[in-house]
Amino acid sequence: MFSHDARTELYQRFERPVPAWFSEAKLGIFIHWGAYSVPAWAEPIGELGTIERSTWMKHNPYAEWYYNTIRIEGSPAAEHHREVHGDAPYDDFLDAWKAEDFDPDDWASLFARAGARYVVPTTKHHDGICLWDAPGTPRNTVARGPQRDLVGDIAAATRRAGMRFGTYYSGGLDWDVADFGPITSDIGHELRPQDEGYTAYANAHVRDLVERYAPDVLWGDINWPDAGKPDGPLSFARVLDEYYAAVPEGVVNDRFGETHWDFRTSEYQQGRDLESGAWENCRGIGYSFGYNRVEGHEHHLTGPQAVKHLLDVVARGGNLLLDVGPTASGQIPELQRRCLEGLADWMAVNGAAVHGTTTVDDSVARPSGHQGHDDDGSGATWVRWTRSGDVLHAVVDATGEVGLQLSAEAVDLGAARLLDGTPVTAREDGSGAVVVDVPEPAAQHGPAVVTFPLGARA
């Protein structure tokens, strides 16, 4: 075995500034699409980070975990699978998955309108099925099911629409290559493949993805096999050397284990306290990443709720990777599309408060209201702040007179405007804070954005 210090020294050479494009992007789109999109079933019990771990696996709300959940004795998913699919082998779903309505340019157009600057589809999830003609496995979408290079189709459409392209790859789990039985609680070391054979297989996949698609983001998940962590022929460090040589402005997330990362990640409500360095929060529009036909309106973000979640992340210095789970035929489900269209309407007017912004010092202005989109019952007006150069943006989920925790001396109150140019009345309230009269937005639904030119003190 190797020491932590040796591993750290091996990967220190990858310490580098995070490319500006990633820091300025603020919004990406995640795509979870696979054989699991055929049954498209999970219990919508809540968001990760709000459910006890002892409950989570047996009642997993992630439809993309269907292959695991149906093998947990006594789980509702196992009962559903027995009743609806007659305990059919999981690979029957791969052959039933046809993607007959898949229009990658329609997807890309929607994502770009919603303000996304990068797109990251799953290329291999934990079920081991690859969405391109991956080396070493016939369980891929070119040989079976859709009989298409889905990764290549999404990559080409994404770049035609002017966005950057990334690849998700599950290196830590592969239930086809190395199945240790269903995961019922924590994903321990003993439930993940660690051997040299699997490491060589996974390394070859990532190398092939880099060679074919030159992804701007390498998004790993559930760690990396230990045989690939020390120096040597199977070292993941060698894979990263090749990646950065091919894509100098590429970025790598933190889920390849104790190897290297350019940015940290959180998921739904789990780990939402990230605020330093480069980081990203990922979540679905509903409770699941993969399409779940059981979910209804009550489980999905609306457009305005997605805006507020995005701004809560951006105001704290992060990016949001917002997920869509297409149907097996390749359609974006109506509730997900409705959310993205609402986000697009808002971003068309207010995108300047998101893209390329920086955080705001607490001495200038402070946020108020609850975190995320769920009301905490405090009654506080939801406000988040971003900054573009010498312009301060107050994103306010209210109309009429609103008190802002803003230093009146830091801004030009007489020049307050909405981003569509509508003048806003702003005055000091006598205590050094500011009161603004927020007009009703003319077109888009969602929070208003009041802008202030910053003064010399800011």
Side-chain angles (χ1 to χ4, degrees):
M1 197 55 179
F2 52 93
S3 69
H4 175 79
D5 289 342
R7 179 190 299 159
T8 300
E9 184 177 346
L10 175 63
Y11 290 95
Q12 277 180 341
R13 67 176 180 268
F14 299 117
E15 293 181 3
R16 52 200 276 279
V18 175
W21 78 261
F22 184 79
S23 301
E24 295 170 359
K26 305 305 181 185
L27 178 63
I29 295 292
F30 220 177
I31 304 170
H32 278 63
W33 197 26
Y36 46 79
S37 305
V38 176
W41 196 94
E43 293 179 79
I45 60 172
E47 297 185 4
L48 183 69
T50 68
I51 307 295
E52 290 292 334
R53 198 69 182 175
S54 58
T55 300
W56 180 267
M57 285 299 180
K58 188 172 183 178
H59 302 275
N60 200 326
Y62 287 177
E64 67 276 11
W65 277 70
Y66 187 79
Y67 187 29
N68 187 76
T69 317
I70 61 175
R71 294 181 294 158
I72 298 176
E73 186 176 352
S75 71
E79 181 180 347
H80 168 83
H81 187 63
R82 188 174 304 113
E83 290 179 355
V84 176
H85 302 290
D87 280 330
Y90 183 80
D91 271 28
D92 283 5
F93 298 128
L94 171 56
D95 295 319
W97 177 24
K98 299 303 182 186
E100 65 273 16
D101 297 324
F102 175 41
D103 183 345
D105 288 305
D106 175 68
W107 288 14
S109 174
L110 175 61
F111 302 157
R113 291 200 312 277
R117 294 291 174 87
Y118 59 105
V119 176
V120 182
T122 51
T123 66
K124 187 198 81 168
H125 205 259
H126 313 325
D127 60 8
I129 294 170
C130 297
L131 276 66
W132 85 105
D133 190 15
T137 177
R139 292 176 80 247
N140 67 69
T141 60
V142 176
R144 296 173 63 179
Q147 299 188 330
R148 290 179 68 169
D149 177 0
L150 300 177
V151 176
D153 289 344
I154 296 169
T158 295
R159 286 169 168 150
R160 281 195 295 269
M163 297 174 289
R164 299 214 179 216
F165 176 75
T167 53
Y168 165 108
Y169 183 85
S170 173
L173 292 176
D174 190 315
W175 297 321
D176 180 64
V177 172
D179 185 6
F180 296 96
I183 297 167
T184 59
S185 56
D186 290 330
I187 308 171
H189 178 90
E190 72 284 356
L191 295 177
R192 295 188 290 104
Q194 307 287 350
D195 60 280
E196 292 185 354
Y198 175 70
T199 302
Y201 176 80
N203 281 355
H205 279 182
V206 174
R207 284 188 166 106
D208 196 54
L209 289 169
V210 172
E211 182 178 347
R212 289 176 187 257
Y213 312 112
D216 299 288
V217 183
L218 276 186
W219 215 101
D221 205 8
I222 319 289
N223 217 308
W224 197 252
D226 280 356
K229 291 177 181 174
D231 200 6
L234 294 175
S235 174
F236 186 63
R238 298 193 180 195
V239 177
L240 289 178
D241 276 332
E242 295 166 20
Y243 172 61
Y244 286 124
V247 189
E249 285 198 322
V251 289
V252 176
N253 78 332
D254 63 346
R255 299 195 185 188
F256 289 99
E258 292 184 52
T259 56
H260 157 79
W261 56 83
D262 294 305
F263 65 96
R264 291 289 199 179
T265 57
S266 62
E267 188 167 324
Y268 281 90
Q269 303 305 319
Q270 184 169 282
R272 280 285 303 280
D273 57 350
L274 290 172
E275 290 195 6
S276 61
W279 62 275
E280 178 187 76
N281 175 246
C282 68
R283 62 156 297 148
I285 292 173
Y287 294 164
S288 174
F289 286 97
Y291 172 52
N292 182 7
R293 65 179 79 249
V294 179
E295 289 185 340
H297 290 82
E298 67 275 22
H299 309 118
H300 284 77
L301 296 177
T302 63
Q305 286 172 335
V307 169
K308 290 174 66 177
H309 188 94
L310 170 64
L311 265 297
D312 180 66
V313 169
V314 171
R316 293 184 291 120
N319 288 6
L320 173 62
L321 189 61
L322 184 63
D323 179 82
V324 298
T327 67
S329 71
Q331 295 180 331
I332 305 297
E334 177 57 31
L335 291 174
Q336 296 180 33
R337 182 175 285 272
R338 195 178 304 171
C339 173
L340 292 178
E341 292 287 6
L343 185 54
D345 289 345
W346 189 89
M347 292 288 280
V349 177
N350 300 297
V354 176
H355 297 130
T357 58
T358 57
T359 57
V360 176
D361 190 274
D362 281 351
S363 65
V364 175
R366 294 189 300 278
S368 62
H370 50 277
Q371 295 285 317
H373 64 273
D374 294 318
D375 194 347
D376 64 0
S378 69
T381 298
W382 187 96
V383 180
R384 296 292 181 268
W385 298 91
T386 64
R387 176 174 177 168
S388 300
D390 293 330
V391 176
L392 192 66
H393 307 286
V395 188
V396 183
D397 188 30
T399 56
E401 285 203 347
V402 176
L404 301 178
Q405 298 181 55
L406 167 65
S407 169
E409 296 181 358
V411 297
D412 180 357
L413 295 181
R417 298 284 189 276
L418 296 185
L419 274 175
D420 66 4
T422 303
V424 172
T425 301
R427 59 180 173 81
E428 188 176 352
D429 71 354
S431 67
V434 169
V435 174
V436 293
D437 189 2
V438 182
E440 199 75 45
Q444 85 286 350
H445 297 289
V449 180
V450 182
T451 68
F452 302 89
L454 284 161
R457 286 194 57 190

